[in-house]
Structures are given as C-alpha cells and as structure tokens.
Amino acid sequence: MIKRVKLSKFNGELCENLYADVCYITASNFNDVANLYNRVSDALDNKNWLKSRDELYLMDVLDKGGFIIGCYVEETLVASALCEAPSGDYLDYLYELGLDDCDINSSYVSGYVMVDPIYRGNALHRILMETRIEESLLRGKDFIITAIAKENIFSLNTVLKLGFEIQFEKENEYGIKRNILTKRLVELSEEEFTA
C-alpha cells in the first residue's frame, strides 16, 4: 500500500468512515482494472473518451518501467491510473515540444484514469495524479505528459490546478479534440539556465 485516504461521498451522498487504500496494481489485479473499465465505460456519454486496455497492454506498461496505481475500497477497485514510457503519438508530441532524447527518457505518459461513478466527488482523480507525480519523482522522471478531451472540464481543471500546462490541441483517431498538457517535475537549476 502507498497510502490510505479518507473518502467523503458514496453514490453522491455524504458518508463517514469510508477509506480507500492507494496501492500498486500488479498483473494479479488486471481483472479488477477490466471490471472498473466496464463500470466507467457504461456511465460515459462519449465512449471514445476512454479507450480499453487489455492485459497485454497493461503488462507491457509494467515491463517497460511504468507503473499502475489504484484505489481500493475493501476488495473493490474504485479508481486507477497509469504512467508509462512514451511511445506512439506521445513520443511525437514530446519531440514537437522540443524535448531531446534525454528528456524523453526522463518522461512518463500519464493516462488511463478511471473513477467508479459511485465514488465520484472524492477527489480521486487528484489523489491519483498527486500519487503519480510523487512516484514519478521517486523514479527519477523530470516530465509528465497527458492528454485530456477538451469537453472533460473536470479532469482538465484538476490537472491545471496541479501545475500542468496546456501545450497544444490534437485530435485523436476518434475525432476527439484533446488538450496535450505537460508538467515539469523538477525545477531547472541556475546552472541549467545559463549553460
């Protein structure tokens, strides 16, 4: 377990004595991730906001140095997210931003964020993002890049409050316009500014 957080809402109602354990997701928990995806996807108006990831994809995230975290209430996964090595479009975005190979190797892509609809309102997205930032720093990463659908105002506001900056807008293969955001995890020293 990484940490324990107190929740205040269940199915939109205030509650007491409800806690979630934030922990790493391993291959033995991949079925929990699939079940969470199904619950979240069923509640989405636009199914293209969240793309399914199968067990092979999730295993690849772990095998290539990434990590997956989740929030469990008792035995039920109620929220999850991942950080993975840049590839595909994200690799192109990082090059477009002018990052060199060293910076790209020190970057994570943050995504596949899901919160069970009955646990919304507990700031789980923020808790997962703060945890991903902390864990990325522990792994020596300097940057995080993420993409959020323009219409997904709640997620966008959450990451902006955590210091992410909108870099540009891109359209994905489903025609969804997304903001591409980055956060520098470590500050440049004066030496780096003058070098």
Side-chain angles (χ1 to χ4, degrees):
M1 180 171 69
I2 300 170
K3 61 185 166 186
R4 176 167 264 216
V5 294
K6 188 174 189 329
L7 306 182
S8 60
K9 289 186 181 177
F10 177 78
N11 207 18
E13 301 291 326
L14 290 176
C15 64
E16 294 182 19
N17 301 318
L18 184 62
Y19 294 88
D21 293 326
V22 179
C23 55
Y24 294 108
I25 299 289
T26 62
S28 64
N29 306 102
F30 286 171
N31 194 48
D32 296 343
V33 175
N35 290 334
L36 176 60
Y37 170 81
N38 290 333
R39 294 193 310 274
V40 171
S41 180
D42 287 347
L44 287 177
D45 292 332
N46 188 335
K47 306 295 186 210
N48 292 326
W49 276 12
L50 183 64
K51 181 170 66 169
S52 177
R53 296 337 194 252
D54 62 17
E55 288 187 14
L56 288 174
Y57 185 98
L58 297 176
M59 198 67 231
D60 195 51
V61 168
L62 299 180
D63 287 344
K64 291 183 177 170
F67 63 92
I68 307 167
I69 55 172
C71 292
Y72 278 89
V73 173
E74 296 175 359
E75 301 297 314
T76 304
L77 182 66
V78 301
S80 70
L82 60 77
C83 276
E84 62 185 312
S87 63
D89 288 342
Y90 287 100
L91 194 56
D92 295 339
Y93 300 158
L94 290 168
Y95 280 122
E96 191 172 330
L97 289 168
L99 273 64
D100 60 24
D101 288 337
C102 184
D103 287 337
I104 289 171
N105 289 333
S106 187
S107 299
Y108 268 141
V109 175
S110 173
Y112 202 44
V113 181
M114 301 181 286
V115 176
D116 189 316
I118 64 173
Y119 288 93
R120 290 191 182 140
N122 284 296
L124 289 173
H125 183 217
R126 179 184 53 78
I127 290 166
L128 289 173
M129 183 56 87
E130 288 171 343
T131 305
R132 282 176 285 164
I133 290 169
E134 293 161 7
E135 293 297 314
S136 296
L137 282 165
L138 289 173
R139 288 167 167 75
K141 300 298 182 182
D142 295 329
F143 299 94
I144 293 181
I145 185 169
T146 191
I148 299 175
K150 285 189 64 139
E151 296 84 20
N152 191 348
I153 296 165
F154 297 111
S155 292
L156 183 60
N157 286 337
T158 296
V159 298
L160 288 172
K161 286 177 186 173
L162 290 172
F164 281 76
E165 297 177 358
I166 297 173
Q167 301 297 330
F168 44 78
E169 181 183 301
K170 293 287 183 177
E171 189 172 300
N172 70 9
E173 66 269 23
Y174 304 109
I176 304 292
K177 290 183 179 175
R178 304 184 307 164
N179 287 308
I180 308 303
L181 302 99
T182 60
K183 178 175 176 68
R184 186 176 189 90
L185 301 179
V186 293
E187 295 300 320
L188 293 173
S189 67
E190 281 187 39
E191 262 180 38
E192 289 176 290
F193 278 120
T194 58

